[in-house]
Amino acid sequence: MHHETLDQAARGILRDNDRGRYTVPTAMLYPFQWNWDSAFAAWGFSRFDVERAWTELETLMAAQWPNGMVPHMIFHEPAPGYFPGPEVWGVGNQPPTSGITQPPVVATMARAVLMADPDRGRPRIAGLFDGLLRWHRWFMDARVERGMVAVTHPWETGRDNAPDWDLAMQAVDTSGVGSYQRRDLQQVDAGQRPKKAEYDRYLAMVGFGRDCGWDEATIRDRGPFRVADVGMSFILLRACRDLAVLAQEVGKPTREIEDWIRALTEGAEGHWNPDGGYYDSVDLRSGAFTGSLSNASFLNWYAGIENPGMLAHLHRIADEVRFMLPSLDPAHPEFDPLRYWRGPVWAILNALAGLGLAEMGHGAEAARLRRDAQALIAASGFAEYFSPRDGTPAGGGHFTWTAAVWLAWASPQAEGRF
Ligand code: DGY
C-alpha cells in the first residue's frame, strides 16, 4: 500500500478515536483516556492538527492530583463494558481516575509538539510547564529509590504482563479478590492477553491502594509490590532532559531538573544486571534482578546512555527475529510471540528505542526498527501489537498509538526523528 494511503488511514484512526478533548486508545477495549497513549496521540496529531495535539495534553494534565501524580486512566464517560472501572479504584476525583501513574513520556512528546509549530506552541507549553515539573518532582520524591523509579503496580509500567513482574507478583495475596468478570476477553483472544493468575494479582494490588486511600507512604512501606522498572527509569531520565529544554523555552530555572538528571543517570547503573549483561528491572523488596531483557531494556540510548553490551544484544536479537523489536528476548523461556508484553512488537517502543539509537549515532539499527514497524503496519494495519516471528497482528485494532507513531515517526514523510 502506498504510504500516502497509510498516512490518510492513520489520520482517520486518530479522528475516529477522538472524543473531543481526549483520544481513546481504541473503542471498546480501552474506552477512556490513558496517560501515555494520550502523549503518543498528541505526537501523531502534531503532524496535521497541532491545536488538537495541545488539547490532548491539556486534558491529561488537568487530571493531575494535588500531590503532583498524573493518573494512568481518566474515566471521562461511563463505560460499563470496561473492567475495572472507577468504582473498583475508589478515587473520588471528578472526573474519576485510577490511583496509579504511567510512563512519563508527556514532557518528551510536548517538546515534539512544540517543535512542530513553535509559535503556536509557546503559549500552550507555558500553561503546561508547572504541572509537568510537579509531576516529575512527585516521581523524584515519592518513587525514586537508589536513582531508579519504583512502581507499585505492573499497570504503571504500561508493560502489564512483562516477565519483569513475575517473581515479585508471587508474593501478592489474592485471597480477598473474590469473583469478577473480565471484559478484555470479550474483545481479544485470551492467548493474547494476561492470564487469570496475573489478573487476580492486579486486582489485589488495586484493592490495597484503594483501602489505604492511595497513600504513597503506606504503599511504600506495606504495599504488596515494589519493583524498579528499567523502562520507567529510562523514560523519566529522558523526559527530564526534555523538561530542561522546555524550562529554557519558558524562561524557568533548570537547576532542580539538572539534579534529577544527575541522580537518574547515576541510578541507571543500578539496573545493570552483570550476569546477563543487560539493563534489567529490580525487585526492590528482595534486591534481586528480574532476569528480563525486554524492549524497555533497549531504551538506554533514548535516555542518553551508551552501552556496547546492549548493542551486542540488539544485534543478536535482530538476527533471530523477522520483525524488530520483540518485547522479550526470544531466548527467554517465557517468550510468547503473541502474548501482549511477553514477545510481541509494539510500534511505540520501536519509536522510542529508534529515536534514541538514531540520536546516539546508531543509524543502521534505528533504520531496522523503523523499517520493521513500517512493514508490519503496511502488511497488517494499525494493530495494538504484532508477532515478531511472522507479523501477525494482535490485541486491539484501529489503534491510536500505532497510528500516531506511523504519522510522527514511521511513515516515509516523517523522517524517523522528532
Ligand atoms: C488494561 O485494561 O489492560 C490496561 O492495560 C490497564 O491499564
Side-chain angles (χ1 to χ4, degrees), residues 29-30 34 72-73 82-84 89 100 102 155-156 158 160 184 193-194 199 202 340-341 384:
L29 184 61
Y30 305 119
W34 264 261
H72 105 291
M73 294 168 70
Y82 182 86
F83 180 84
W89 292 93
I100 57 175
Q102 234 178 2
W155 285 345
E156 290 201 309
D160 299 10
D184 56 322
R193 293 285 301 174
Y199 239 83
Y202 299 153
Y340 214 37
W341 290 92
E384 187 177 5

Side-chain angles (χ1 to χ4, degrees), residues 19 21-23 31-34 38 59-60 62-63 73-79 94-96:
R19 296 292 177 269
R21 297 187 57 80
Y22 68 96
T23 311
F32 310 105
Q33 184 175 24
W34 264 261
S38 249
T59 308
L60 174 66
M73 294 168 70
I74 304 148
F75 301 103
H76 292 283
E77 305 271 347
Q94 216 34 259

Side-chain angles (χ1 to χ4, degrees), residues 1-7 406:
M1 203 186 292
H2 204 266
H3 79 82
E4 274 147 25
T5 314
L6 287 167
D7 292 350
W406 172 266

Side-chain angles (χ1 to χ4, degrees), residues 109-131:
M109 295 306 155
R111 185 178 168 202
V113 177
L114 180 64
M115 284 167 66
D117 187 340
D119 288 339
R120 273 202 279 185
R122 247 172 237 119
R124 310 293 282 269
I125 192 60
L128 286 172
F129 180 81
D130 286 350

Side-chain angles (χ1 to χ4, degrees), residues 60-71 93 130-132 134-135:
L60 174 66
M61 294 305 293
Q64 184 166 33
W65 285 16
N67 69 358
M69 197 267 279
V70 181
N93 294 2
D130 286 350
L132 286 172
R134 288 203 301 117
W135 187 21

